[in-house]
């Protein structure tokens, strides 16, 4: 596994070791232990601008994913890029009375699943993706990540 992390925000303190550990476990659980990806941690304004540029949605969001593999089944070790708003993760963790790292882990899982072809655009696909997220979160908690 190879991960390039860029922390472009100053809103939340990021524990890179925990981020790498989460990504490693997710990729292993998905059978992608040799995969490579890029992760950008940004604030709401940054992700809002990306969301407008690439999805024509003028709002901040929690996670954006830019897969390098496509629906034709191209393979390779490079999965793509995940962009996470650490500001949103911090706000949502506080609102849900959850630990920031747990919220960030959820966003990491969500982004990686998008890179692997999961979608949350339609109800049936969203249900499948949410089930996989819960499965991986349980796996993380079962290995000492509370």
């Amino acid at each position: 596994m190879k991960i390039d992390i860029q922390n472009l925000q100053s809103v939340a303190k990021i524990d890179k070791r925990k981020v790498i550990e989460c990504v490693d476990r997710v990729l292993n659980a998905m059978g992608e232990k040799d995969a490579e990806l890029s992760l950008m941690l940004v604030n709401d304004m940054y992700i809002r601008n990306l969301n407008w540029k690439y999805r024509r949605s003028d709002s901040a969001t929690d996670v954006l994913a830019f897969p390098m593999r496509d629906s034709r089944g191209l393979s390779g070790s490079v999965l793509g890029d995940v962009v996470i708003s650490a500001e949103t993760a911090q706000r949502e963790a506080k609102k849900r009375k959850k630990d920031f790292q747990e919220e960030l882990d959820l966003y990491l899982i969500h982004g990686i699943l998008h890179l692997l072809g999961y979608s949350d655009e339609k109800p049936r696909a969203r249900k499948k993706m949410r089930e996989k997220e819960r499965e991986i979160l349980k796996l993380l908690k079962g290995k000492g990540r509370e």
Side-chain angles (χ1 to χ4, degrees):
M1 175 208 65
K2 183 179 177 203
I3 177 170
D4 176 40
I5 302 173
Q6 294 181 54
N7 185 7
L8 304 178
Q9 57 82 43
S10 58
V11 175
K13 185 171 176 8
I14 304 297
D15 185 334
K16 283 190 177 183
R17 182 188 56 79
K18 287 183 178 179
V19 169
I20 291 168
E21 177 185 313
C22 178
V23 171
D24 184 52
R25 288 186 176 171
V26 173
L27 292 175
N28 279 319
M30 298 302 294
E32 296 283 348
K33 61 184 172 195
D34 295 326
E36 300 177 33
L37 63 94
S38 170
L39 170 66
M40 289 176 56
L41 298 152
V42 301
N43 62 24
D44 282 351
M45 183 58 75
Y46 195 106
I47 207 162
R48 180 181 183 158
N49 289 335
L50 287 178
N51 205 20
W52 173 252
K53 181 176 182 179
Y54 292 103
R55 299 180 69 225
R56 289 295 183 235
S57 178
D58 190 20
S59 63
T61 188
D62 48 7
V63 181
L64 290 172
F66 301 94
M68 296 296 284
R69 295 178 181 170
D70 67 15
S71 60
R72 295 182 308 245
L74 291 180
S75 61
S77 62
V78 179
L79 294 181
D81 305 318
V82 174
V83 182
I84 293 176
S85 173
E87 187 174 354
T88 296
Q90 187 176 57
R91 184 177 55 254
E92 289 298 313
K94 202 173 284 185
K95 187 166 95 176
R96 298 175 196 193
K97 296 179 174 50
K98 289 171 53 178
D99 178 65
F100 169 73
Q101 187 63 49
E102 185 179 348
E103 190 73 10
L104 189 60
D105 287 350
L106 176 61
Y107 294 3
L108 285 165
I109 293 165
H110 188 83
I112 292 169
L113 289 177
H114 274 310
L115 295 182
L116 293 172
Y118 283 76
S119 173
D120 54 5
E121 294 294 317
K122 295 181 181 170
R124 178 183 249 160
R126 185 178 311 114
K127 183 177 186 236
K128 183 179 176 183
M129 187 171 189
R130 297 289 184 248
E131 288 171 358
K132 184 56 81 173
E133 287 172 356
R134 284 191 292 275
E135 177 187 318
I136 294 172
L137 278 170
K138 275 187 192 175
L139 179 72
L140 287 176
K141 287 184 179 184
K143 292 191 175 183
R145 287 291 296 278
E146 299 297 328

